[in-house]
Amino acid sequence: HFIAVHDGEELMQLLVNNKEQLPHILFLDLNIPRKNGFECLMEIMRNKELKKLHVVIFTTSFEQGTVNLLYKKGAHYYIRKPAEFSQLKNAVLKVLALIEKNPIDPTGTVQQPSRANFVLSGDL
């Protein structure tokens, strides 16, 4: 199933109110209104139940300091929005395959990839 929200506040409300049925993957845009993606990531990582989510950052930005901070704060993958739909499709398929190979462990912990494997592109 696919669920889209309009802003960060709606996202966080949806997640908090549905902890028993969290999505398998959260594609999080950094530039969403009302509560930006970075604020949502911080809130997710502070919450014991929500931090079980695979969080994939999806944005147009590629500032290295931001990428490093997002990794440090617990995001699982980073996709820079590509210009071509086919590249976007390839990046999403790559994320799905990687996450399928690295499911949540029995303790509920989601392992981050190595820093070298954090940033994905659509030309994979």
Side-chain angles (χ1 to χ4, degrees), residues 7-63:
D7 60 57
E9 287 183 13
E10 184 181 352
L11 168 65
M12 294 313 301
Q13 185 176 26
L14 177 74
L15 294 175
V16 168
N17 292 335
N18 294 291
K19 288 181 185 176
E20 66 284 344
Q21 290 190 320
L22 293 173
H24 293 103
I25 303 169
L26 173 62
F27 288 89
L28 181 60
D29 192 334
L30 289 183
N31 299 314
I32 54 177
R34 296 181 66 194
K35 184 180 284 190
N36 69 40
F38 187 79
E39 292 169 314
C40 291
L41 176 65
M42 301 310 306
E43 202 170 317
I44 289 166
M45 291 303 157
R46 285 191 303 262
N47 185 299
K48 183 179 177 181
E49 290 86 16
L50 298 182
K51 72 187 298 184
K52 296 175 185 177
L53 283 169
H54 285 98
V55 180
V56 179
I57 302 300
F58 182 68
T59 188
T60 56
S61 172
F62 199 62
E63 197 276 308

Side-chain angles (χ1 to χ4, degrees), residues 83-103:
E84 300 288 328
F85 179 76
S86 62
Q87 292 174 324
L88 171 61
K89 180 180 167 184
N90 288 342
V92 169
L93 290 173
K94 180 68 173 179
V95 166
L96 295 175
L98 289 169
I99 288 175
E100 185 176 27
K101 291 178 186 176
N102 186 25

